[in-house]
Amino acid sequence: LCGHLVPAGSVAAFLAEHRERLFGDELFADLFRSGRGRPSIPGSVIATVMVLQSLEGLSDRDACEQLRTNIGWKVAAGLSLTDEGFHPTVLTLWRTRLRDSDRPERIFDAVRAVVASTGVLAGRHRRALDSTVLDDAVATQDTVTQLIAAVRRVLRVAPGPAGAVELNGHDYASGAKPVIAWDDRAAKDALVSGLVEDARRLLAAYDPPTLEGDAADAVGLLALVAGQDVEPGEGEGTWRIARRTAPDRVVSTVDPESRHAHKTRRELRDGYKAHVAVEPDTGLVTGYDLTAGNTADGPPGAALAAGE
């Protein structure tokens, strides 16, 4: 009744025309294997809302409000004007199932396949490239916290050789930060020295080429953390916090791939960078990449453009 109100060539019009072909029931069959019936809301509707939600950068609650009140969204999803939509937690459920599946990017892949086959971007040679910082949810850890956490992780996932290693720098049964006079440089250097020496003795007990899986990751992370923020002290076998910042510093042992990101010269954040290529007239995303937060914008953007 109101499809003519949606501008031709827009994403909403594109989804209205190709929604069923893009997001057929078979595309999501593996997400619900219980045999007790299919979800009450078609996958094509969920996927359509997710695409529009990502395009406009909306929360789940705001996306569901748009579906309930926005004519363009209703046309795109094939819903009647009186349809009240669904609760925001439905998006949470579907996103979780997609993320845990063997094909978490299937929605983007489906859009890309139909874009290629329909020629909707034929003759459209402009691309808008942009990068943005995605904040990490974990707290940034200082050197002492990282060393303790890394040692505890090795002891937990690769306990074998560690049993013969004498560790004196800290009581690693507790993840709490040691209680010292933190404004006392000598006390701080003594603590750092003890932790680094513990890490070095622990690393010496393992043969990295023989390690696999979580054990290999834990030992590798300990080696990285034990060297990135410290430098030799004045005496033999002593260590101190380095008076510089490692260029590719791990900011948290909880998420070792997260990095410091400078959005501006003065604005420092921790996390990742999302790089996106978009056709500016239709708003269709033609490529994307996710990198560590300290990655320069140029190379990923050039790679996205070259990919077309």
Side-chain angles (χ1 to χ4, degrees), residues 142-149 151 167-172 174-201 225-226 229-231 233 237-241:
D142 59 33
T143 303
V144 169
T145 303
Q146 287 201 27
L147 282 168
I148 294 173
V151 169
L167 303 177
N168 303 314
H170 178 64
D171 178 11
Y172 296 100
S174 169
K177 204 168 183 177
V179 179
I180 65 169
W182 290 101
D183 57 350
D184 184 338
R185 180 177 174 181
K188 189 174 180 179
D189 286 351
L191 172 63
V192 171
S193 295
L195 295 175
V196 173
E197 285 300 308
D198 280 354
R200 287 165 59 87
R201 284 192 292 269
V225 169
D229 291 339
V230 299
E231 61 186 11
T238 63
W239 302 86
R240 64 188 179 196
I241 304 294

Side-chain angles (χ1 to χ4, degrees), residues 23-202:
F23 311 123
D25 289 343
E26 68 281 356
L27 183 64
F28 307 106
D30 61 304
L31 301 183
F32 300 91
R33 303 175 180 175
S34 67
R36 298 179 181 175
R38 295 186 299 179
S40 57
I41 303 169
S44 60
V45 174
I46 297 294
T48 296
V49 172
M50 285 184 172
V51 170
L52 293 173
Q53 175 188 17
S54 297
L55 183 65
E56 300 187 19
L58 302 178
S59 67
D60 289 348
R61 186 176 298 278
D62 289 341
C64 289
E65 180 65 17
Q66 286 294 310
L67 183 64
R68 202 168 75 90
T69 61
N70 188 310
I71 290 178
W73 282 52
K74 288 185 179 294
V75 170
L79 302 181
S80 69
L81 290 176
T82 58
D83 195 299
E84 297 184 358
F86 49 80
H87 195 272
T89 55
V90 175
L91 290 175
T92 305
L93 169 65
W94 277 78
R95 191 180 299 109
T96 300
R97 288 180 179 261
L98 283 168
R99 183 173 56 245
D100 293 340
S101 71
D102 295 333
R103 293 180 295 151
E105 300 176 2
R106 68 186 73 187
I107 292 179
F108 182 82
D109 293 338
V111 173
R112 182 163 48 190
V114 173
V115 164
S117 64
T118 59
V120 68
L121 295 183
R124 299 180 184 270
H125 302 300
R126 295 189 303 156
R127 295 293 181 268
L129 303 175
D130 198 12
S131 301
T132 188
V133 176
L134 304 180
D135 292 319
D136 203 342
V138 298
T140 302
Q141 296 173 322
D142 59 33
T143 303
V144 169
T145 303
Q146 287 201 27
L147 282 168
I148 294 173
V151 169
R152 281 168 53 84
R153 184 178 178 187
V154 170
L155 297 176
R156 184 175 66 253
V157 304
V165 179
E166 184 177 355
L167 303 177
N168 303 314
H170 178 64
D171 178 11
Y172 296 100
S174 169
K177 204 168 183 177
V179 179
I180 65 169
W182 290 101
D183 57 350
D184 184 338
R185 180 177 174 181
K188 189 174 180 179
D189 286 351
L191 172 63
V192 171
S193 295
L195 295 175
V196 173
E197 285 300 308
D198 280 354
R200 287 165 59 87
R201 284 192 292 269
L202 195 56

Side-chain angles (χ1 to χ4, degrees), residues 238-260:
T238 63
W239 302 86
R240 64 188 179 196
I241 304 294
R243 295 176 175 82
R244 46 89 181 138
T245 300
D248 195 35
R249 182 179 185 270
V250 172
V251 299
S252 173
T253 57
V254 178
D255 188 354
E257 297 180 2
S258 179
R259 293 293 187 274
H260 289 311

